[in-house]
Amino acid sequence: MFGDELYLRMFTELYAATMRHMQVPGQLGASSSAFLLDVHMDSGRLLKPWVSSLGAFWPAMQVLAGQHEAAEALHANFTAAWATWGWLPEMFGADLSAVHPEDPGYNLRPEHIESTWYLKAVSGDPSGYYTGLAAAMMDVLNHSRVECGYAPIRDVKTGAHTDLMESYFLSETVKYLYLSFVDSAPLLDYYLLSTEGHLMPAFHHASDAHASEPDAPQQQQQQQQQQQQQQKDRDDEEAVDEGQ
């Protein structure tokens, strides 16, 4: 975002470590990309065999990193989990056999639709797959519609509601759904989206500063033209005053 290579090196190191230590063997067939699971930061040992739905943002980040095939594969895994229960549970088993008994709900989170939009934007979605997936997600949200807004799902096995609507539903989930149905791909050429879905203009790299500035002769010419126009305006005003 800021054009600082230090941040790029930091990201590259962290990304490589994440993919090396947090990716477990594929659970949905030999061709599937593995989910990312929580591991101990010192030893790399697996901490728990549960997938967090928050990890569904990772394919979007992979898109920005140019890892499109890996993004498609991991996104397909999260989509399979979403299709299994009709919603994407907060926590679920990597083999899609169960949801976490203490966290079985769906809190209207944006991460899955966020990655869906990013993949649509960079691919152009020639088959309409990602647009169709976004439409299916909107249909699922109809179940959450209540009198005063949209209610999260307490348990994906029962579909019962909770009495709460998080602010991120409006700032992120709905925004990414909207972007999925309009010509929004050019946004990625000019803006970055924060973790809360806020549009931020990308900063120019320092090396681009000189290129963006007019050269000296051109700048001098522009200044001369401006001065000449200002003098002409003053002469015209004086002529009007004398005529009166």
Side-chain angles (χ1 to χ4, degrees):
M1 175 177 177
F2 297 102
D4 192 325
E5 292 188 3
L6 173 62
Y7 296 128
L8 178 60
R9 291 196 298 271
M10 292 170 61
F11 168 78
T12 302
E13 180 180 350
L14 291 171
Y15 179 82
T18 298
M19 299 303 292
R20 182 169 63 252
H21 297 294
M22 297 180 66
Q23 197 171 40
V24 300
Q27 300 289 336
L28 308 178
S31 62
S32 70
S33 173
F35 284 114
L36 302 176
L37 301 182
D38 291 346
V39 298
H40 194 283
M41 66 178 300
D42 292 326
S43 66
R45 293 182 58 185
L46 182 66
L47 289 178
K48 51 189 177 183
W50 300 102
V51 179
S52 169
S53 65
L54 294 174
F57 90 94
W58 194 260
M61 191 194 65
Q62 289 179 307
V63 167
L64 294 175
Q67 304 295 309
H68 295 172
E69 291 186 4
E72 291 174 356
L74 182 55
H75 177 268
N77 274 12
F78 279 104
T79 301
W82 171 79
T84 298
W85 290 287
W87 294 280
L88 190 61
E90 287 292 289
M91 298 281 287
F92 57 91
D95 60 356
L96 306 187
S97 63
V99 296
H100 196 288
E102 297 180 3
D103 210 353
Y106 166 61
N107 290 341
L108 306 179
R109 293 196 183 277
E111 286 77 16
H112 188 208
I113 183 60
E114 174 187 2
S115 291
T116 301
W117 172 67
Y118 271 94
L119 284 164
K120 176 192 174 180
V122 299
S123 69
D125 199 22
S127 68
Y129 168 74
Y130 295 112
T131 303
L133 180 57
M137 292 177 179
M138 285 197 65
D139 288 340
V140 168
L141 283 178
N142 288 331
H143 182 81
S144 292
R145 189 71 171 95
V146 293
E147 183 177 359
C148 297
Y150 285 81
I153 304 302
R154 186 183 304 278
D155 191 324
V156 297
K157 292 178 289 186
T158 66
H161 291 151
T162 65
D163 188 18
L164 174 71
M165 187 179 79
E166 298 283 0
S167 61
Y168 59 69
F169 174 71
L170 295 178
S171 67
E172 297 180 78
T173 307
V174 174
K175 183 179 296 180
Y176 287 118
L177 281 171
Y178 170 77
L179 292 175
S180 297
F181 295 102
V182 297
D183 183 18
S184 55
L187 280 177
L188 294 177
D189 294 329
Y190 302 99
Y191 295 95
L192 297 173
L193 281 89
S194 72
T195 55
E196 294 299 321
H198 300 304
L199 289 168
M200 300 184 297
F203 288 85
H204 292 294
H205 192 281
S207 62
D208 297 332
H210 177 72
S212 63
E213 297 176 353
D215 55 32
Q218 182 181 3
Q219 192 173 25
Q220 291 176 356
Q221 183 180 7
Q222 291 174 347
Q223 291 176 347
Q224 290 175 355
Q225 291 175 347
Q226 185 178 12
Q227 291 172 354
Q228 291 172 356
Q229 183 62 46
Q230 291 174 346
Q231 183 62 48
K232 182 178 181 299
D233 292 340
R234 287 194 294 269
D235 292 342
D236 290 342
E237 291 176 0
E238 292 176 358
V240 171
D241 291 340
E242 291 175 359
Q244 294 176 349

